[in-house]
Amino acid sequence: MMNAPARVHEASSSVHPDAALQVLGKPHDIAVLVLPGFSHLALHAYIEPFRIANTVSRLPLFRWRIAGIDALAVVGANGLSIPVDVTVEELATDGSYNCRLNQLVVVAGEPVEKQMTPHLNTFLRLLARRGISISAVGTATWLLAQTGLLADTRCTIHWSRLAAFSEVFHKPRIRDSLFVKDGQYSTCAGELAAFDLAVDLIASQAGAYIAQEVCRHATVEGQRSGSNRQTGPSGLAFAGVSDKLAMAMRIMEENVEIPLSMGDVAHQVGISRRQLERLFATHIGYPPARHYLRIRIDHAKRLIEGTRMPIIDIAVACGFMSASHFAKCFRIINGFSPQQCRTMVPVWVGPGLG
């Protein structure tokens, strides 16, 4: 039985497509591979800028298809499903489509560690060998790293996975950025950062003016640089109130594995330890040592949730010399033990079930 032709999405235009193609050549073709549990916010934040670019330019600049592992609709994290236009098998074997495919974008779900299969691994590596640009949105960076494609490549991943990614994969050069482009591969933090990655592609393919018009149409102030941090350091909110406090918080966040003394933190900031304590008492409400401890425990919690590292190794990675001291501090901050944290499995309640 022959498969029905896959749907190709492109915004309608007042300019006849044939006339537009004579001017521009072929549209930039994108296949967006969605995996179970994907973020609808990330998916549509990535796709919508291309629709807007086609609309504001009145030209079919971009075309996109939704791809799936198979032909079944894919269910997102919010319980809503999306139909599939083309399967990875068709993308891998349909020579006519691959001849014009410019970009593969992967939008993964959770738990991402369980989404890699031999079939997916073979597919990703096949397209990489064909020279097709590959983008990973959010946690999908984890999948590209599992294939080995990101060896010695600058990349990023959603901030909640940064700590775990750094511990599990040592060859990729991870960055705390909105998005990173390095050769054939581009990665982004996901969610609204997917919009920024799409706008960057629009700027490179259609020019800065169209990219600016897309931002204006979407009521976005302007194009954000990929080098922007995903989430500002915890002290960012205090930058206008006390630059010294913000600097102290940043220093703490950058020294988790080998913690500094409060005297050392104060010295690097350029104030006395007593002044540092007064700043925290005034603006935070508790001592700097407790804030530092919370930073280290939060880092440990992300490692427990995102990796299978032994608890003792996580304790050492967060500056604790013994598992017992780590467990005690962890319980004080979170109200449960590291072992209990590891056994906790998030329960998703779908529509009509809660």
Side-chain angles (χ1 to χ4, degrees), residues 33-40 42-43 69 74-78 106-116 120 136-143 146 157-158 160-161 190-191:
L33 173 60
V34 293
L35 299 176
F38 71 94
S39 164
H40 274 271
L43 173 63
I69 297 297
V74 185
V75 181
N78 61 6
V106 186
V107 186
E110 290 286 6
V112 69
E113 300 91 335
K114 297 182 179 180
Q115 294 196 320
M116 177 56 75
L120 178 58
V137 175
T139 56
T141 303
W142 195 285
L143 298 177
Q146 285 181 309
I157 195 169
H158 189 269
S160 65
R161 287 289 187 156
E191 308 307 338

Side-chain angles (χ1 to χ4, degrees), residues 135 228 231:
S135 298
N228 288 1
T231 56

Side-chain angles (χ1 to χ4, degrees), residues 159-280:
W159 65 266
S160 65
R161 287 289 187 156
L162 278 170
F165 189 95
S166 298
E167 293 293 337
V168 174
F169 304 104
H170 301 295
K171 291 184 178 179
R173 293 178 285 159
I174 194 69
R175 300 286 187 272
D176 177 14
S177 307
L178 289 177
F179 64 88
V180 176
K181 298 187 300 179
D182 192 347
Q184 185 179 356
Y185 306 103
S186 57
T187 54
C188 87
E191 308 307 338
L192 294 181
F195 179 92
D196 301 299
L197 181 62
V199 170
D200 184 83
L201 178 59
I202 291 168
S204 66
Q205 295 295 319
Y209 175 77
I210 295 298
Q212 291 169 3
E213 285 299 294
V214 168
C215 291
R216 192 163 72 93
H217 186 89
T219 65
V220 173
E221 284 189 13
Q223 187 176 351
R224 292 194 296 178
S225 168
S227 61
N228 288 1
R229 286 187 61 165
Q230 296 180 36
T231 56
S234 58
L236 188 63
F238 299 96
V241 177
S242 172
D243 291 339
K244 298 293 187 182
L245 178 61
M247 187 185 302
M249 290 180 170
R250 185 178 69 250
I251 290 170
M252 292 175 182
E253 292 176 345
E254 292 172 352
N255 293 273
V256 171
E257 186 169 355
I258 304 177
L260 304 174
S261 69
M262 290 304 99
D264 288 336
V265 173
H267 177 73
Q268 290 193 30
V269 173
I271 58 178
S272 69
R273 178 169 177 171
R274 185 177 294 276
Q275 288 174 307
L276 180 68
E277 291 173 346
R278 279 202 297 265
L279 281 175
F280 273 84

Side-chain angles (χ1 to χ4, degrees), residues 272-299:
S272 69
R273 178 169 177 171
R274 185 177 294 276
Q275 288 174 307
L276 180 68
E277 291 173 346
R278 279 202 297 265
L279 281 175
F280 273 84
T282 301
H283 299 290
I284 306 300
Y286 47 80
R290 182 174 178 83
H291 180 80
Y292 203 174
L293 177 63
R294 180 175 289 277
I295 288 174
R296 293 161 59 203
I297 292 298
D298 286 347
H299 186 76

Side-chain angles (χ1 to χ4, degrees), residues 75-142:
V75 181
N78 61 6
L80 300 178
S81 61
I82 185 170
V84 167
D85 302 322
V86 62
T87 67
V88 295
E89 188 72 26
E90 291 168 328
L91 285 176
T93 58
D94 183 359
S96 63
Y97 183 65
N98 270 302
C99 285
R100 68 173 187 269
L101 180 62
N102 302 110
Q103 193 98 18
L104 174 74
V105 183
V106 186
V107 186
E110 290 286 6
V112 69
E113 300 91 335
K114 297 182 179 180
Q115 294 196 320
M116 177 56 75
T117 64
H119 182 47
L120 178 58
N121 180 72
T122 300
F123 170 71
L124 292 174
R125 296 183 67 83
L126 173 64
L127 263 61
R129 286 197 301 272
R130 290 177 177 172
I132 293 173
S133 297
I134 300 177
S135 298
V137 175
T139 56
T141 303
W142 195 285

